[in-house]
Amino acid sequence: GEPSLELLLVPSEEPSGSGTQKLMCSGWSFNPQIKWLFGSEQRSAAAYERRMGEDGHVALTSHITVTQQEWNQGMVFTCEVIDKYLQKVRRGLACTQTCFL
């Protein structure tokens, strides 16, 4: 099976004027790795979480913080899941802020 993927906006607990948004990307595969791109630039994620499923698949969840400026200027955020074993890149989901509204 191919890696599967979802990209979500994490509801902020801070007041809306706080200046940052949080995105979450989840991928399922045998050995998933998550890569973030802001525009064409690679970014490091703030946090990763791995969970082992009963069928041997791994669920990997990654969070990344977006500044208000990046958010407002219509930056394209891409989350890619790569599985080293399958040699398949599942081109991630690419979204601007309008996807999440």
Coordinates of all heavy atoms in Angstrom, one line a residue:
G1 N 0.8 -1.2 0.0 CA 0.0 0.0 0.0 C 0.8 1.3 0.0 O 2.0 1.2 0.4
E2 N 0.3 2.3 -0.5 CA 1.0 3.6 -0.5 C 0.8 4.3 0.8 O -0.1 4.1 1.5 CB 0.5 4.5 -1.6 CG 0.7 3.9 -3.0 CD 0.8 5.0 -4.0 OE1 0.6 6.2 -3.7 OE2 1.1 4.7 -5.2
P3 N 1.8 5.2 1.1 CA 1.6 6.0 2.3 C 0.3 6.8 2.2 O 0.0 7.3 1.1 CB 2.8 6.9 2.4 CG 3.8 6.3 1.4 CD 3.0 5.5 0.4
S4 N -0.4 7.0 3.3 CA -1.5 7.9 3.2 C -1.2 9.1 4.1 O -0.4 9.1 5.0 CB -2.8 7.2 3.6 OG -2.7 6.7 4.9
L5 N -2.0 10.1 4.0 CA -1.6 11.4 4.4 C -2.8 12.3 4.7 O -3.8 12.3 4.0 CB -0.8 12.1 3.3 CG -0.1 13.4 3.5 CD1 0.9 13.3 4.6 CD2 0.5 13.8 2.2
E6 N -2.7 13.1 5.8 CA -3.7 14.2 6.0 C -3.1 15.4 6.6 O -2.1 15.3 7.3 CB -5.0 13.8 6.7 CG -4.8 13.5 8.2 CD -6.1 13.2 8.9 OE1 -7.2 13.4 8.3 OE2 -6.1 12.7 10.0
L7 N -3.6 16.6 6.2 CA -3.0 17.9 6.7 C -4.1 18.7 7.3 O -5.2 18.9 6.7 CB -2.4 18.6 5.4 CG -1.8 20.0 5.6 CD1 -0.7 19.9 6.6 CD2 -1.3 20.5 4.3
L8 N -3.9 19.1 8.5 CA -5.0 19.8 9.2 C -4.4 21.1 9.9 O -3.2 21.2 10.2 CB -5.5 18.9 10.3 CG -6.1 17.6 9.9 CD1 -6.3 16.7 11.2 CD2 -7.5 17.8 9.2
L9 N -5.3 22.0 10.1 CA -5.0 23.2 10.9 C -5.4 22.9 12.4 O -6.5 22.4 12.6 CB -5.8 24.4 10.5 CG -5.6 25.7 11.2 CD1 -4.2 26.2 11.1 CD2 -6.6 26.7 10.7
V10 N -4.5 23.0 13.3 CA -4.7 22.8 14.7 C -5.4 24.0 15.3 O -4.9 25.1 15.2 CB -3.4 22.5 15.5 CG1 -3.7 22.2 17.0 CG2 -2.7 21.3 14.9
P11 N -6.6 23.8 15.9 CA -7.3 25.0 16.5 C -6.4 25.6 17.6 O -5.8 24.9 18.4 CB -8.5 24.4 17.1 CG -8.7 23.1 16.5 CD -7.4 22.6 16.1
S12 N -6.2 26.9 17.5 CA -5.3 27.6 18.5 C -6.0 27.8 19.8 O -7.2 28.1 19.9 CB -4.9 28.9 17.9 OG -4.1 29.6 18.8
E13 N -5.2 27.5 20.9 CA -5.7 27.8 22.2 C -5.4 29.3 22.6 O -5.9 29.8 23.6 CB -5.1 26.9 23.2 CG -5.6 25.4 23.1 CD -4.5 24.4 23.3 OE1 -3.6 24.7 24.1 OE2 -4.5 23.3 22.7
E14 N -4.5 29.9 21.8 CA -4.2 31.2 22.1 C -5.2 32.2 21.4 O -5.8 31.8 20.5 CB -2.8 31.5 21.6 CG -1.7 30.6 22.3 CD -0.5 30.5 21.4 OE1 0.0 31.5 20.9 OE2 0.1 29.4 21.4
P15 N -5.2 33.4 21.9 CA -6.1 34.4 21.2 C -5.7 34.6 19.8 O -4.5 34.4 19.4 CB -5.9 35.7 22.0 CG -4.9 35.4 23.1 CD -4.5 34.0 23.1
S16 N -6.6 34.9 18.9 CA -6.4 34.9 17.5 C -5.3 35.9 17.1 O -4.7 35.8 16.0 CB -7.6 35.1 16.7 OG -8.2 36.3 17.1
G17 N -5.1 36.9 17.9 CA -4.0 37.9 17.6 C -2.6 37.5 17.9 O -1.7 38.2 17.8
S18 N -2.5 36.2 18.4 CA -1.2 35.8 19.0 C -0.1 35.7 17.9 O 1.1 35.6 18.2 CB -1.3 34.5 19.7 OG -1.6 33.5 18.8
G19 N -0.5 35.6 16.7 CA 0.5 35.7 15.6 C 1.1 34.4 15.1 O 1.9 34.4 14.2
T20 N 0.6 33.2 15.6 CA 1.1 32.0 14.9 C -0.1 31.0 14.7 O -1.1 31.1 15.4 CB 2.1 31.2 15.8 OG1 1.5 31.0 17.1 CG2 3.4 32.1 15.9
Q21 N 0.1 30.2 13.7 CA -0.9 29.1 13.4 C -0.1 27.8 13.5 O 1.1 27.8 13.3 CB -1.4 29.2 12.0 CG -2.1 30.6 11.7 CD -3.5 30.6 12.3 OE1 -4.1 29.6 12.8 NE2 -4.1 31.8 12.3
K22 N -0.8 26.7 13.8 CA -0.2 25.4 13.9 C -0.8 24.5 12.9 O -2.0 24.3 12.8 CB -0.3 24.9 15.3 CG 0.9 24.2 15.8 CD 0.6 23.6 17.2 CE 1.8 23.3 17.9 NZ 1.5 22.8 19.3
L23 N 0.1 23.8 12.1 CA -0.4 22.8 11.2 C 0.0 21.4 11.7 O 1.1 21.3 12.3 CB 0.2 23.0 9.8 CG -0.2 24.4 9.1 CD1 0.5 24.4 7.7 CD2 -1.7 24.5 8.9
M24 N -0.8 20.5 11.4 CA -0.5 19.1 11.7 C -0.6 18.2 10.5 O -1.5 18.3 9.7 CB -1.5 18.6 12.8 CG -1.2 17.2 13.2 SD -2.5 16.7 14.4 CE -3.6 15.8 13.3
C25 N 0.4 17.4 10.3 CA 0.4 16.4 9.2 C 0.5 15.0 9.8 O 1.4 14.8 10.6 CB 1.5 16.8 8.3 SG 1.6 15.7 6.8
S26 N -0.3 14.1 9.3 CA -0.3 12.7 9.7 C 0.0 11.8 8.5 O -0.7 12.0 7.5 CB -1.5 12.3 10.4 OG -1.8 13.1 11.5
G27 N 0.9 10.9 8.7 CA 1.1 9.9 7.6 C 1.1 8.5 8.1 O 1.5 8.3 9.3
W28 N 0.6 7.6 7.3 CA 0.6 6.2 7.7 C 1.4 5.4 6.7 O 1.1 5.5 5.5 CB -0.8 5.6 7.8 CG -1.6 6.2 8.8 CD1 -1.8 5.7 10.1 CD2 -2.4 7.4 8.7 NE1 -2.7 6.6 10.8 CE2 -3.1 7.6 9.9 CE3 -2.6 8.3 7.7 CZ2 -3.9 8.7 10.2 CZ3 -3.5 9.4 7.9 CH2 -4.1 9.5 9.1
S29 N 2.3 4.6 7.1 CA 3.1 3.7 6.2 C 3.9 2.8 7.0 O 3.7 2.7 8.2 CB 4.0 4.6 5.3 OG 4.4 3.9 4.2
F30 N 4.8 2.0 6.4 CA 5.6 1.1 7.2 C 6.8 1.9 7.9 O 7.1 1.6 9.0 CB 6.2 0.0 6.3 CG 5.2 -0.9 5.7 CD1 4.8 -0.8 4.4 CD2 4.5 -1.8 6.6 CE1 3.8 -1.6 3.9 CE2 3.5 -2.6 6.1 CZ 3.2 -2.5 4.7
N31 N 7.3 2.8 7.2 CA 8.4 3.6 7.9 C 8.3 5.0 7.4 O 9.2 5.5 6.6 CB 9.8 3.0 7.5 CG 10.9 3.7 8.2 OD1 10.7 4.3 9.2 ND2 12.1 3.5 7.7
P32 N 7.3 5.7 7.8 CA 7.1 7.1 7.2 C 8.0 8.1 7.8 O 8.4 8.1 8.9 CB 5.6 7.4 7.6 CG 5.4 6.6 8.9 CD 6.3 5.4 8.8
Q33 N 8.4 9.0 6.9 CA 9.1 10.3 7.3 C 8.3 11.4 6.8 O 7.8 11.4 5.7 CB 10.5 10.3 6.8 CG 11.4 9.2 7.3 CD 12.7 9.2 6.6 OE1 12.8 9.1 5.4 NE2 13.8 9.3 7.4
I34 N 8.2 12.5 7.5 CA 7.5 13.7 7.1 C 8.4 14.8 6.8 O 9.4 15.1 7.6 CB 6.4 14.1 8.2 CG1 5.3 13.0 8.1 CG2 5.9 15.4 7.9 CD1 4.2 13.3 9.1
K35 N 8.2 15.5 5.7 CA 9.0 16.6 5.3 C 8.1 17.8 5.1 O 7.0 17.6 4.4 CB 9.8 16.2 4.1 CG 10.9 17.1 3.7 CD 11.8 16.5 2.6 CE 11.4 17.2 1.3 NZ 12.2 16.7 0.2
W36 N 8.4 18.9 5.6 CA 7.6 20.2 5.4 C 8.3 21.1 4.4 O 9.5 21.3 4.5 CB 7.5 20.9 6.7 CG 6.6 20.3 7.7 CD1 6.9 19.4 8.8 CD2 5.1 20.4 7.8 NE1 5.8 19.1 9.5 CE2 4.7 19.6 8.9 CE3 4.2 21.1 7.0 CZ2 3.4 19.5 9.3 CZ3 2.8 21.0 7.4 CH2 2.4 20.2 8.5
L37 N 7.5 21.7 3.6 CA 8.0 22.8 2.7 C 7.1 24.0 2.9 O 5.9 23.9 2.9 CB 8.0 22.4 1.2 CG 8.9 21.2 0.9 CD1 8.5 20.7 -0.5 CD2 10.3 21.6 0.8
F38 N 7.8 25.2 3.0 CA 7.0 26.4 3.0 C 7.5 27.1 1.7 O 8.6 27.5 1.6 CB 7.4 27.3 4.2 CG 6.8 26.9 5.5 CD1 6.3 25.6 5.7 CD2 6.6 27.9 6.5 CE1 5.7 25.3 6.9 CE2 6.0 27.5 7.7 CZ 5.6 26.2 7.9
G39 N 6.5 27.2 0.8 CA 7.0 27.6 -0.6 C 7.9 26.5 -1.1 O 7.5 25.3 -1.1
S40 N 9.1 26.9 -1.5 CA 10.0 25.8 -2.0 C 11.1 25.5 -0.9 O 12.1 24.8 -1.2 CB 10.7 26.3 -3.3 OG 11.3 27.6 -3.0
E41 N 10.9 26.1 0.2 CA 12.0 26.0 1.3 C 11.6 24.9 2.3 O 10.5 24.9 2.8 CB 12.0 27.4 2.0 CG 13.3 27.6 2.8 CD 13.2 29.0 3.5 OE1 13.1 30.0 2.7 OE2 13.1 29.0 4.7
Q42 N 12.6 24.0 2.6 CA 12.3 23.0 3.6 C 12.3 23.6 5.0 O 13.2 24.4 5.3 CB 13.3 21.9 3.4 CG 12.9 20.6 4.1 CD 13.7 19.4 3.8 OE1 14.4 19.4 2.7 NE2 13.8 18.4 4.7
R43 N 11.4 23.1 5.8 CA 11.4 23.6 7.2 C 11.5 22.4 8.2 O 11.0 21.3 7.8 CB 10.0 24.2 7.5 CG 9.9 25.6 6.9 CD 10.8 26.6 7.5 NE 10.8 27.8 6.8 CZ 10.0 28.8 7.1 NH1 9.2 28.7 8.2 NH2 10.0 29.9 6.4
S44 N 12.0 22.6 9.3 CA 12.0 21.6 10.4 C 10.8 21.6 11.2 O 10.3 22.7 11.5 CB 13.2 21.8 11.3 OG 14.3 22.1 10.6
A45 N 10.2 20.5 11.5 CA 9.0 20.4 12.2 C 9.3 20.7 13.7 O 10.4 20.4 14.2 CB 8.3 19.1 12.1
A46 N 8.3 21.1 14.4 CA 8.4 21.4 15.8 C 8.4 20.1 16.6 O 9.1 19.9 17.6 CB 7.3 22.3 16.3
A47 N 7.6 19.1 16.2 CA 7.4 17.9 17.0 C 7.0 16.8 16.1 O 6.3 16.9 15.1 CB 6.4 18.1 18.1
Y48 N 7.4 15.6 16.5 CA 7.0 14.3 15.8 C 6.5 13.4 16.9 O 6.9 13.3 18.0 CB 8.2 13.6 15.2 CG 8.7 14.3 13.9 CD1 9.9 15.0 14.0 CD2 8.0 14.2 12.7 CE1 10.4 15.7 12.8 CE2 8.5 14.8 11.6 CZ 9.7 15.5 11.6 OH 10.1 16.2 10.5
E49 N 5.5 12.6 16.5 CA 4.9 11.6 17.3 C 4.8 10.3 16.5 O 4.1 10.3 15.5 CB 3.5 12.0 17.7 CG 3.2 12.1 19.2 CD 1.9 12.8 19.3 OE1 0.9 12.1 19.1 OE2 1.9 14.1 19.6
R50 N 5.3 9.2 17.0 CA 5.1 7.9 16.3 C 4.2 7.0 17.0 O 4.4 6.8 18.3 CB 6.5 7.2 16.1 CG 7.4 7.9 15.2 CD 8.7 7.0 15.1 NE 8.6 6.1 14.0 CZ 8.9 6.4 12.7 NH1 9.4 7.6 12.5 NH2 8.8 5.5 11.7
R51 N 3.3 6.3 16.3 CA 2.5 5.3 17.0 C 2.5 4.0 16.1 O 2.4 4.1 14.9 CB 1.0 5.7 17.1 CG 0.7 6.6 18.3 CD -0.7 6.6 18.6 NE -1.6 6.5 17.4 CZ -2.0 7.5 16.6 NH1 -1.5 8.7 16.8 NH2 -2.8 7.2 15.6
M52 N 2.6 2.9 16.7 CA 2.7 1.6 15.9 C 1.2 1.1 15.9 O 0.6 1.0 16.9 CB 3.5 0.6 16.7 CG 3.9 -0.6 15.9 SD 5.2 -0.2 14.7 CE 5.2 -1.7 13.8
G53 N 0.8 0.8 14.6 CA -0.5 0.2 14.5 C -0.5 -1.3 14.6 O 0.6 -1.9 14.5
E54 N -1.6 -2.0 14.7 CA -1.6 -3.4 14.9 C -1.2 -4.2 13.6 O -0.7 -5.3 13.7 CB -3.0 -3.9 15.3 CG -3.4 -3.5 16.7 CD -4.9 -3.7 17.0 OE1 -5.5 -4.5 16.2 OE2 -5.4 -3.1 17.9
D55 N -1.4 -3.5 12.5 CA -1.1 -4.2 11.2 C 0.4 -4.0 10.8 O 0.7 -4.3 9.7 CB -2.0 -3.8 10.1 CG -2.0 -2.3 9.9 OD1 -1.2 -1.6 10.6 OD2 -2.7 -1.8 9.0
G56 N 1.2 -3.4 11.7 CA 2.6 -3.1 11.3 C 2.8 -1.8 10.7 O 3.9 -1.4 10.4
H57 N 1.7 -1.1 10.4 CA 1.9 0.3 9.9 C 2.3 1.2 11.1 O 1.9 1.0 12.2 CB 0.6 0.8 9.3 CG 0.5 0.3 7.9 ND1 0.2 -1.0 7.6 CD2 0.6 0.9 6.7 CE1 0.1 -1.2 6.3 NE2 0.3 0.0 5.7
V58 N 3.0 2.3 10.7 CA 3.3 3.3 11.7 C 2.6 4.6 11.4 O 2.5 5.0 10.2 CB 4.8 3.6 11.7 CG1 5.2 4.8 12.6 CG2 5.6 2.3 12.1
A59 N 2.0 5.2 12.4 CA 1.3 6.5 12.2 C 2.3 7.5 12.7 O 2.7 7.5 13.9 CB 0.0 6.5 13.0
L60 N 2.7 8.4 11.8 CA 3.6 9.5 12.2 C 2.8 10.8 12.1 O 2.2 11.1 11.1 CB 4.8 9.5 11.3 CG 5.9 10.5 11.6 CD1 6.6 10.3 12.9 CD2 6.9 10.5 10.5
T61 N 2.9 11.6 13.2 CA 2.2 12.9 13.2 C 3.3 14.0 13.5 O 4.1 13.8 14.3 CB 1.2 12.9 14.4 OG1 0.3 11.9 14.2 CG2 0.4 14.2 14.3
S62 N 3.2 15.0 12.7 CA 4.1 16.1 12.8 C 3.4 17.5 13.0 O 2.4 17.7 12.3 CB 5.0 16.1 11.6 OG 5.8 17.2 11.6
H63 N 3.9 18.3 13.8 CA 3.4 19.7 14.0 C 4.4 20.7 13.5 O 5.6 20.5 13.7 CB 3.0 20.0 15.5 CG 1.9 19.2 16.0 ND1 2.1 17.9 16.5 CD2 0.6 19.4 16.0 CE1 0.9 17.4 16.9 NE2 0.0 18.3 16.6
I64 N 3.9 21.8 13.0 CA 4.8 22.9 12.6 C 4.1 24.2 12.8 O 2.8 24.3 12.7 CB 5.3 22.7 11.1 CG1 6.6 23.5 10.9 CG2 4.2 23.1 10.1 CD1 7.3 23.0 9.7
T65 N 4.8 25.2 13.2 CA 4.3 26.5 13.5 C 4.5 27.4 12.3 O 5.5 27.5 11.7 CB 4.9 27.1 14.7 OG1 4.8 26.1 15.8 CG2 4.3 28.4 15.2
V66 N 3.4 28.2 12.0 CA 3.5 29.1 10.9 C 3.3 30.5 11.5 O 2.4 30.8 12.3 CB 2.3 28.9 9.9 CG1 2.3 29.8 8.8 CG2 2.3 27.4 9.5
T67 N 4.2 31.5 11.0 CA 4.0 32.8 11.5 C 2.8 33.5 10.9 O 2.3 33.1 9.8 CB 5.2 33.7 11.2 OG1 5.3 33.9 9.8 CG2 6.5 33.1 11.7
Q68 N 2.2 34.5 11.5 CA 1.1 35.2 11.0 C 1.4 35.8 9.6 O 0.5 35.8 8.7 CB 0.6 36.3 11.9 CG -0.8 36.7 11.8 CD -1.8 35.6 12.0 OE1 -1.7 34.9 13.0 NE2 -2.8 35.4 11.2
Q69 N 2.6 36.2 9.4 CA 3.0 36.8 8.2 C 3.0 35.8 7.0 O 2.4 36.0 6.0 CB 4.4 37.4 8.3 CG 4.8 38.3 7.1 CD 6.2 38.8 7.2 OE1 6.9 38.6 8.3 NE2 6.8 39.4 6.2
E70 N 3.6 34.6 7.3 CA 3.5 33.6 6.3 C 2.1 33.1 6.0 O 1.8 32.9 4.8 CB 4.3 32.3 6.8 CG 5.8 32.6 6.9 CD 6.5 31.5 7.7 OE1 5.9 30.9 8.6 OE2 7.7 31.3 7.4
W71 N 1.3 33.1 7.0 CA -0.1 32.7 6.9 C -0.8 33.7 6.0 O -1.5 33.3 5.1 CB -0.7 32.6 8.3 CG -2.1 32.1 8.3 CD1 -3.2 32.8 8.5 CD2 -2.5 30.7 8.2 NE1 -4.3 31.9 8.5 CE2 -3.9 30.6 8.3 CE3 -1.8 29.5 7.9 CZ2 -4.6 29.5 8.2 CZ3 -2.5 28.3 7.8 CH2 -3.9 28.3 8.0
N72 N -0.7 35.0 6.3 CA -1.4 36.0 5.6 C -1.0 36.2 4.2 O -1.7 36.7 3.3 CB -1.4 37.3 6.4 CG -2.1 37.2 7.7 OD1 -3.0 36.4 7.8 ND2 -1.8 38.1 8.6
Q73 N 0.3 35.9 3.9 CA 0.7 36.2 2.5 C 0.4 35.1 1.5 O 0.9 35.1 0.4 CB 2.2 36.6 2.5 CG 3.2 35.4 2.8 CD 4.6 35.9 3.1 OE1 4.8 37.1 3.4 NE2 5.5 35.0 2.9
G74 N -0.4 34.1 2.0 CA -0.8 33.1 1.0 C 0.3 32.1 0.7 O 0.3 31.5 -0.4
M75 N 1.2 31.9 1.6 CA 2.3 30.9 1.4 C 1.7 29.5 1.2 O 0.7 29.2 1.8 CB 3.1 30.9 2.7 CG 4.2 29.9 2.9 SD 5.7 30.3 2.0 CE 6.4 31.5 3.1
V76 N 2.4 28.7 0.4 CA 1.9 27.4 0.2 C 2.7 26.4 1.1 O 3.9 26.4 1.1 CB 2.2 26.9 -1.3 CG1 1.7 25.4 -1.5 CG2 1.4 27.8 -2.3
F77 N 1.9 25.7 1.9 CA 2.5 24.8 2.9 C 2.4 23.4 2.3 O 1.3 23.0 2.0 CB 1.8 24.9 4.2 CG 1.7 26.3 4.7 CD1 0.4 26.9 4.7 CD2 2.8 27.0 5.2 CE1 0.3 28.2 5.2 CE2 2.6 28.3 5.6 CZ 1.4 28.9 5.6
T78 N 3.5 22.6 2.3 CA 3.4 21.3 1.7 C 3.9 20.3 2.8 O 4.9 20.6 3.4 CB 4.3 21.1 0.5 OG1 3.9 22.2 -0.5 CG2 4.1 19.8 -0.2
C79 N 3.1 19.2 3.0 CA 3.6 18.2 3.8 C 3.8 16.9 2.9 O 2.9 16.6 2.2 CB 2.5 17.9 4.9 SG 2.7 16.4 5.7
E80 N 4.9 16.4 3.0 CA 5.2 15.2 2.2 C 5.5 14.0 3.1 O 6.2 14.1 4.1 CB 6.5 15.4 1.3 CG 6.3 16.3 0.2 CD 7.6 16.5 -0.6 OE1 8.6 15.8 -0.3 OE2 7.6 17.3 -1.5
V81 N 4.9 12.9 2.8 CA 5.3 11.6 3.5 C 6.1 10.8 2.5 O 5.8 10.5 1.4 CB 4.0 10.9 3.9 CG1 4.4 9.5 4.4 CG2 3.3 11.6 5.0
I82 N 7.3 10.4 3.1 CA 8.2 9.6 2.3 C 8.4 8.2 3.0 O 8.5 8.3 4.2 CB 9.6 10.3 2.2 CG1 9.4 11.6 1.5 CG2 10.6 9.4 1.5 CD1 10.5 12.6 1.8
D83 N 8.4 7.2 2.3 CA 8.6 5.9 2.9 C 9.9 5.3 2.3 O 9.9 5.0 1.1 CB 7.5 4.9 2.8 CG 7.6 3.7 3.7 OD1 8.7 3.1 3.6 OD2 6.7 3.4 4.4
K84 N 11.0 5.2 3.1 CA 12.2 4.7 2.6 C 12.1 3.3 2.0 O 12.8 3.0 1.0 CB 13.3 4.7 3.7 CG 13.8 6.0 4.1 CD 15.1 5.9 4.9 CE 14.9 5.0 6.1 NZ 15.4 5.7 7.3
Y85 N 11.3 2.4 2.6 CA 11.3 1.1 2.1 C 10.5 1.0 0.8 O 10.9 0.2 -0.1 CB 10.5 0.2 3.1 CG 11.3 0.0 4.4 CD1 10.7 0.0 5.6 CD2 12.7 -0.1 4.4 CE1 11.4 -0.1 6.8 CE2 13.4 -0.2 5.6 CZ 12.8 -0.2 6.8 OH 13.5 -0.3 7.9
L86 N 9.5 1.8 0.6 CA 8.7 1.6 -0.6 C 9.2 2.4 -1.7 O 8.8 2.3 -2.9 CB 7.2 2.1 -0.3 CG 6.5 1.3 0.8 CD1 5.1 1.9 1.0 CD2 6.4 -0.1 0.3
Q87 N 10.2 3.3 -1.4 CA 10.8 4.2 -2.5 C 9.7 5.0 -3.2 O 9.8 5.2 -4.4 CB 11.6 3.3 -3.5 CG 12.8 2.6 -2.9 CD 13.8 3.6 -2.4 OE1 14.1 4.6 -3.0 NE2 14.4 3.3 -1.2
K88 N 8.7 5.3 -2.5 CA 7.6 6.0 -3.2 C 7.5 7.4 -2.4 O 7.3 7.3 -1.2 CB 6.3 5.3 -3.1 CG 6.1 4.3 -4.2 CD 4.7 3.7 -4.1 CE 4.5 2.6 -5.1 NZ 3.3 1.8 -4.9
V89 N 7.5 8.4 -3.2 CA 7.2 9.7 -2.5 C 5.7 10.0 -2.8 O 5.3 10.0 -3.9 CB 8.0 10.8 -3.1 CG1 7.6 12.2 -2.5 CG2 9.5 10.6 -2.8
R90 N 5.0 10.1 -1.7 CA 3.6 10.5 -1.8 C 3.7 12.0 -1.8 O 4.0 12.6 -0.7 CB 2.9 10.0 -0.6 CG 1.5 10.5 -0.5 CD 0.6 9.7 -1.3 NE -0.8 10.2 -1.0 CZ -1.9 9.4 -1.2 NH1 -1.7 8.3 -1.7 NH2 -3.0 9.9 -1.0
R91 N 3.6 12.7 -2.9 CA 3.7 14.1 -2.9 C 2.7 14.6 -1.9 O 1.6 14.2 -2.0 CB 3.3 14.8 -4.2 CG 4.4 14.8 -5.2 CD 5.8 15.0 -4.7 NE 6.1 16.4 -4.6 CZ 7.4 16.8 -4.5 NH1 8.3 15.9 -4.4 NH2 7.7 18.1 -4.4
G92 N 3.1 15.4 -1.0 CA 2.2 15.7 0.1 C 1.1 16.6 -0.4 O 0.9 16.7 -1.5
L93 N 0.4 17.0 0.6 CA -0.7 17.9 0.4 C -0.1 19.3 0.4 O 0.6 19.6 1.3 CB -1.7 17.7 1.5 CG -2.3 16.3 1.5 CD1 -3.1 16.1 2.8 CD2 -3.3 16.2 0.3
A94 N -0.5 20.1 -0.5 CA -0.1 21.5 -0.6 C -1.3 22.4 -0.3 O -2.4 22.2 -1.0 CB 0.5 21.8 -1.9
C95 N -1.2 23.3 0.5 CA -2.3 24.2 0.9 C -1.9 25.6 1.2 O -0.9 25.8 1.8 CB -3.0 23.6 2.2 SG -4.5 22.7 1.9
T96 N -2.7 26.5 0.9 CA -2.6 27.9 1.4 C -3.6 28.0 2.5 O -4.4 27.1 2.8 CB -2.8 28.9 0.4 OG1 -4.2 28.8 -0.1 CG2 -1.8 28.8 -0.8
Q97 N -3.7 29.1 3.2 CA -4.6 29.3 4.3 C -6.0 29.1 3.9 O -6.8 28.7 4.7 CB -4.4 30.7 4.9 CG -4.8 31.8 3.9 CD -4.8 33.2 4.5 OE1 -4.3 33.4 5.6 NE2 -5.3 34.2 3.9
T98 N -6.4 29.3 2.7 CA -7.8 29.2 2.3 C -8.3 27.8 2.4 O -9.5 27.5 2.5 CB -8.0 29.7 0.8 OG1 -7.0 29.1 0.0 CG2 -7.8 31.2 0.7
C99 N -7.4 26.8 2.3 CA -7.8 25.4 2.4 C -8.4 25.1 3.8 O -9.2 24.2 4.0 CB -6.6 24.4 2.4 SG -5.7 24.4 0.9
F100 N -8.0 25.9 4.8 CA -8.4 25.5 6.2 C -9.5 26.4 6.7 O -10.0 26.2 7.8 CB -7.2 25.7 7.1 CG -6.0 25.0 6.7 CD1 -4.9 25.6 6.1 CD2 -5.9 23.6 6.8 CE1 -3.7 24.9 5.7 CE2 -4.8 22.9 6.4 CZ -3.7 23.5 5.9
L101 N -10.0 27.3 5.8 CA -11.1 28.2 6.3 C -12.4 27.5 6.3 O -12.7 26.6 5.4 CB -11.1 29.4 5.5 CG -9.8 30.3 5.5 CD1 -9.9 31.5 4.6 CD2 -9.5 30.7 6.9

